[in-house]
Amino acid sequence: MFYYLDGTVAHIEPYLAVIDCGGVGYACKTTNTTLSQLKKGERGRLYTYLNVGEDVFDLYGFATQGELGSFRQLLGISGVGPKAALAILSSITPEGLAMAVITGDEKSLTAAPGIGKKIAQRIILELKDKIAKEQQSGGFLPSAVAVPAGGGKSVEAAQALAVLGYTQSDISAALKGLDVEALPLEEIVRQALRRMVK
């Protein structure tokens, strides 16, 4: 329904930002990461997700499409609701989430308040399974990613970006020309994400 909101940041409080768009204030639940990029009285843009249920009508907003994609991916996991997804993305960046899934790093996920070991394990397992299914169906083929030699890091970076919901063609374009040999894996993912949001 809403793709993004672009207006003046009217109010900020923990996990909430109000964006004034043409005299209407939209209250967006959000992460600490997004809040750190907003300043009251200045212009701000949030990519949105509308959660509608029987007794729920909540708007969520994120500073980047990568963070929104991570939020959606987390909501697709059984046992992870909007509150848990916000907690995770407030304690870890989208690229950090992708790295935690690829490396099986439960501690990075359990650092978020309210996220226990079982939920962390489920997130890692289900997101890894999703990548495996997409690889088998041909929806995402790391071997087809056009990057320089050094396949190992290239494939891992491609898988990390797939965790965030990017398509194979987006990933190929973002990784093309990056010096994967010289950069640590997390920096490769970070630079690829920057390219995709330009």
Side-chain angles (χ1 to χ4, degrees), residues 89-136:
L89 292 172
S90 285
S91 67
I92 192 170
T93 62
E95 57 265 26
L97 170 64
M99 296 305 299
V101 170
I102 296 302
T103 60
D105 180 9
E106 295 170 18
K107 286 184 181 177
S108 292
L109 299 175
T110 56
I115 304 301
K117 189 174 181 178
K118 283 186 179 179
I119 289 287
Q121 288 172 337
R122 188 178 302 143
I123 289 168
I124 290 167
L125 180 68
E126 289 192 25
L127 289 180
K128 274 188 176 178
D129 280 352
K130 184 175 180 186
I131 292 172
K133 284 176 187 169
E134 287 177 358
Q135 287 174 348
Q136 288 171 358

Side-chain angles (χ1 to χ4, degrees), residues 34-195:
T34 289
L35 288 175
S36 71
Q37 297 176 48
L38 299 174
K39 288 187 182 173
K40 190 174 175 181
E42 293 186 7
R43 191 175 190 125
R45 173 180 285 188
L46 297 181
Y47 295 93
T48 57
Y49 176 87
L50 184 62
N51 184 35
V52 180
E54 192 174 315
D55 297 324
V56 180
F57 194 86
D58 291 327
L59 190 60
Y60 295 83
F62 304 93
T64 66
Q65 289 176 322
E67 195 175 24
L68 172 61
S70 298
F71 181 75
R72 285 185 169 141
Q73 292 278 53
L74 287 168
L75 290 184
I77 294 164
S78 54
V80 178
K83 188 176 179 182
L86 280 186
I88 291 167
L89 292 172
S90 285
S91 67
I92 192 170
T93 62
E95 57 265 26
L97 170 64
M99 296 305 299
V101 170
I102 296 302
T103 60
D105 180 9
E106 295 170 18
K107 286 184 181 177
S108 292
L109 299 175
T110 56
I115 304 301
K117 189 174 181 178
K118 283 186 179 179
I119 289 287
Q121 288 172 337
R122 188 178 302 143
I123 289 168
I124 290 167
L125 180 68
E126 289 192 25
L127 289 180
K128 274 188 176 178
D129 280 352
K130 184 175 180 186
I131 292 172
K133 284 176 187 169
E134 287 177 358
Q135 287 174 348
Q136 288 171 358
S137 69
F140 174 73
L141 301 168
S143 59
V145 175
V147 290
K153 279 191 196 174
S154 302
V155 171
E156 286 185 59
Q159 288 175 331
L161 292 165
V163 167
L164 300 176
Y166 290 102
T167 65
Q168 191 267 327
S169 59
D170 288 340
I171 293 168
S172 294
L175 291 178
K176 190 172 185 179
L178 284 181
D179 187 359
V180 294
E181 284 302 307
L183 298 170
L185 185 56
E186 194 161 346
E187 185 57 28
I188 296 168
V189 173
R190 190 173 288 118
Q191 286 191 25
L193 281 171
R194 280 195 205 115
R195 288 177 167 197

